[in-house]
Amino acid sequence: DTAVSQTPKYLVTQMGNDKSIKCEQNLGHDTMYWYKQDSKKFLKIMFSYNNKELIINETVPNRFSPKSPDKAHLNLHINSLELGDSAVYFCASSGTGQAVPDTQYFGPGTRLTVL
Amino acid sequence: GNSVTQMEGPVTLSEEAFLTINCTYTATGYPSLFWYVQYPGEGLQLLLKATKADDKGSNKGFEATYRKETTSFHLEKGSVQVSDSAVYFCALDYNQGGKLIFGQGTELSVKP
């Protein structure tokens, strides 16, 4: 039973292309997140959605656009990819309202390489 | 602003050695504190957490105590195993809104 899943696991593409990463959680959580992990393993939050509504939007270029079709899915679309976008992107989810703070559960990550 | 600082890695230990990974934080108010672990090629997993001063989080032989007076949340384990080799992240959630702020991660390598 996969709790938080991401596709694809690896993504290699050329500069200037547009790509999407998909995330799904089957935990019944209300909140989902996208994090970026750079080559030095530093993790930074990009976005979070609660029940399909955007609640956290860090200083991220507007080439990045999250989309949440329902509360179990949060996709990340990236336009006009740049070399600096190469990183591992993690999806996470939390929140059934039964614990404060809610534990975040992470997906396995998508390694994006921009050539 | 709010931030987390961890000791630099990599940390290399022999099996059964004692582990300490230092973590200090800067935050307004009273954040919740976490340790996450990332095994090679995997996502992050919550290892332990503490939500208020003097709380001790523990799991799988790891412990950390929330010290408000020293703004620290150091991770300890009495006897490490090869299977503990991973990257360990200290993090805080300062407004309970789910915005985790991570330290830079500390890579641990345990040799047999």
Side-chain angles (χ1 to χ4, degrees), chain A residues 37 41 58 90 101 104 107, chain B residues 38 43-44 49 51 89 98-99:
Chain A
Q37 186 177 46
K41 300 273 188 198
E58 291 296 286
F90 287 101
Q104 293 189 26
Chain B
Q38 184 179 24
L44 279 75
K49 65 183 179 185
T51 57
F89 292 91
K99 182 179 173 179

Side-chain angles (χ1 to χ4, degrees), chain B:
Chain B
N2 300 296
S3 65
V4 177
T5 303
Q6 292 178 232
M7 62 188 282
E8 294 241 357
V11 173
T12 303
L13 295 173
S14 298
E15 210 165 16
E16 299 184 2
F18 185 86
L19 168 72
T20 301
I21 300 178
N22 290 338
C23 170
T24 56
Y25 68 90
T26 303
T28 52
Y30 303 96
S32 296
L33 301 173
F34 305 83
W35 277 101
Y36 277 83
V37 58
Q38 184 179 24
Y39 297 104
E42 297 183 13
L44 279 75
Q45 302 172 28
L46 179 68
L47 183 58
L48 52 85
K49 65 183 179 185
T51 57
K52 60 184 188 299
D54 300 325
D55 265 3
K56 178 186 277 189
S58 61
N59 186 25
K60 299 181 181 180
F62 291 89
E63 292 183 341
T65 301
Y66 189 141
R67 301 279 187 208
K68 189 170 181 302
E69 63 276 12
T70 54
T71 61
S72 65
F73 193 53
H74 304 321
L75 183 68
E76 296 182 336
K77 186 175 185 182
S79 175
V80 293
Q81 306 300 313
V82 172
S83 57
D84 293 327
S85 298
V87 181
Y88 292 81
F89 292 91
C90 186
L92 69 83
D93 176 354
Y94 67 94
N95 64 358
Q96 314 296 348
K99 182 179 173 179
L100 285 176
I101 294 174
F102 286 90
Q104 70 269 38
T106 302
E107 184 177 357
L108 170 66
S109 177
V110 180
K111 307 294 185 189

Side-chain angles (χ1 to χ4, degrees), chain A residues 48-64:
Chain A
S48 78
Y49 270 72
N50 181 273
N51 278 320
K52 303 195 295 176
E53 273 194 54
L54 181 67
I55 56 170
I56 295 175
N57 185 352
E58 291 296 286
T59 311
V60 176
N62 58 14
R63 299 182 294 103
F64 290 78

Side-chain angles (χ1 to χ4, degrees), chain A residues 24-42:
Chain A
E24 176 180 1
Q25 54 94 4
N26 63 4
L27 298 168
H29 287 165
D30 294 323
T31 307
M32 296 183 73
Y33 311 81
W34 278 110
Y35 288 86
K36 180 180 180 180
Q37 186 177 46
D38 65 21
S39 59
K40 295 184 180 178
K41 300 273 188 198
F42 185 68

